[in-house]
Amino acid sequence: MKVVILMTSGPKTPWRCASPFYRGEMFFNMDGTRLLKKGVAERILPAEPNCLSVNGKKLKTVYDFMKDAKQAGVKFYSCKQAIDALGYKPEELIPELDGIVPASEFALRAMEADKVITF
C-alpha cells in the first residue's frame, strides 16, 4: 500500500507536528514548508506525553521525529512554489529534504496512492 502525506501543519500548530512521520512519503506545503528551514523544527516541541527521547529524559523535537523518519526510509519533498514564496534558498534547507518539486507533483503522486493523509 502506498501512502502519501501532505504536511501543512508547522510552527503555528506544534501539537500536530509529530504524528505524521513514519507513515510514508511526505510533501511539505503551506506552513509545513517552514519545518524544512534549518533550525526551525529543532525548536518545536510537540508536547505530547509520548514524545520522550530514547533515554526518556527530554522531549523530542519535531526535527528528532524527522530524522527518525528518514532513518526508516521516509522521503521528504517540498512544494517549489511554497519554497519560492517563503524566499528560502537551497542552502537554508535541512539535509533530509529529498527534493523540491512543483505542486503538480503532489497531485500526480496522490492519484497513484492508495491513501492520502493531510496533517
Side-chain angles (χ1 to χ4, degrees):
M1 175 187 306
K2 182 176 179 180
V3 177
V4 175
I5 296 171
L6 176 60
M7 181 67 162
T8 62
S9 297
K12 294 177 186 173
T13 53
W15 58 91
R16 294 182 56 174
C17 288
S19 300
F21 296 99
Y22 316 108
R23 300 190 200 282
E25 197 170 83
M26 293 187 67
F27 283 81
F28 292 79
N29 196 357
M30 300 168 54
D31 194 42
T33 308
R34 295 178 190 279
L35 297 173
L36 300 174
K37 186 172 184 182
K38 290 177 183 172
V40 173
E42 290 97 329
R43 295 189 305 267
I44 300 173
L45 296 171
E48 295 180 13
N50 61 346
C51 293
L52 291 176
S53 63
V54 175
N55 65 15
K57 297 194 180 195
K58 73 175 192 104
L59 287 175
K60 289 175 76 170
T61 66
V62 170
Y63 191 59
D64 291 327
F65 282 97
M66 293 170 86
K67 291 187 296 185
D68 290 348
K70 286 303 297 177
Q71 287 180 345
V74 175
K75 299 283 186 187
F76 294 160
Y77 298 98
S78 180
C79 170
K80 180 181 183 332
Q81 291 85 347
I83 292 288
D84 291 347
L86 291 168
Y88 291 169
K89 305 288 182 241
E91 61 272 11
E92 296 178 289
L93 303 174
I94 62 171
E96 291 80 7
L97 183 61
D98 292 294
I100 299 171
V101 298
S104 59
E105 182 69 22
F106 171 74
L108 292 173
R109 296 208 186 182
M111 288 188 290
E112 295 172 355
D114 298 304
K115 303 245 185 241
V116 176
I117 303 170
T118 303
F119 280 87

